[in-house]
Amino acid sequence: MKLQIIFLSIVSIMLSLAGCSAKAPNIEVLINSIDTQIGVAQNAGADQLASAEYNDAKSLLDSAKASVKSSQKTILAQRAYVKARLAEAIAKQVTAENEANRLEAELKVIEEDAIKIKGERQVAEDELKQVMTEKDHELNNK
């Protein structure tokens, strides 16, 4: 995770420099970084959970690769990178929400079981109290 954060920070700096400097960084390094980010998004499930954003990122990257103009290539690459990051974030959010819903449902079942068991315990305690009272009366009447 730390390596991914460092990697993404480096890519962000490279993208910023690409927009601000007279001499853009090697566009192929940028393209490779975006390929990696798209892979990270896919590993997060973006191809299924955020398919529009994921497909946009791939399409923008393909356009960047096909572009002849360096400035256009850089702009398309930046957009592809941001779309890939968005797709990853959406996929992670959906995954987390799905897990939260699953855990809430599981918790509800456990709470229902606890209520049922509490009722069974109360019945057992009432039966015990009744038996103890009957036995006390029998002992006192002897």
Side-chain angles (χ1 to χ4, degrees):
M1 183 68 176
K2 287 183 181 181
L3 288 175
Q4 183 180 5
I5 292 170
I6 292 169
F7 172 76
L8 294 176
S9 298
I10 291 169
V11 171
S12 295
I13 291 168
M14 289 175 63
L15 289 172
S16 296
L17 292 174
C20 299
S21 67
K23 183 179 177 188
N26 183 343
I27 193 68
E28 293 309 313
V29 171
L30 207 54
I31 297 291
N32 290 338
S33 298
I34 297 160
D35 271 329
T36 301
Q37 179 57 43
I38 289 174
V40 169
Q42 184 177 19
N43 288 340
D47 54 333
Q48 298 293 315
L49 303 173
S51 58
E53 293 79 5
Y54 177 79
N55 291 331
D56 283 349
K58 287 178 60 176
S59 177
L60 285 164
L61 180 59
D62 289 343
S63 296
K65 288 177 179 178
S67 180
V68 182
K69 292 183 179 179
S70 178
S71 61
Q72 185 179 17
K73 187 178 284 246
T74 301
I75 290 168
L76 291 169
Q78 289 171 334
R79 290 180 182 168
Y81 176 77
V82 173
K83 280 286 190 171
R85 292 276 317 269
L86 177 60
E88 177 191 7
I90 290 170
K92 286 180 176 180
Q93 178 185 356
V94 169
T95 299
E97 288 172 351
N98 289 344
E99 180 67 4
N101 290 337
R102 184 190 68 75
L103 291 172
E104 283 177 4
E106 188 176 319
L107 178 61
K108 185 176 179 181
V109 168
I110 292 169
E111 287 173 339
E112 290 170 354
D113 285 347
I115 290 169
K116 179 182 172 188
I117 292 168
K118 184 177 180 181
E120 291 171 359
R121 175 185 171 186
Q122 188 61 50
V123 167
E125 286 177 351
D126 291 345
E127 288 175 359
L128 177 62
K129 189 185 288 184
Q130 182 180 2
V131 168
M132 295 298 287
T133 303
E134 289 172 2
K135 295 301 177 189
D136 284 346
H137 285 314
E138 286 178 15
L139 288 175
N140 289 337
N141 288 337
K142 284 188 176 186

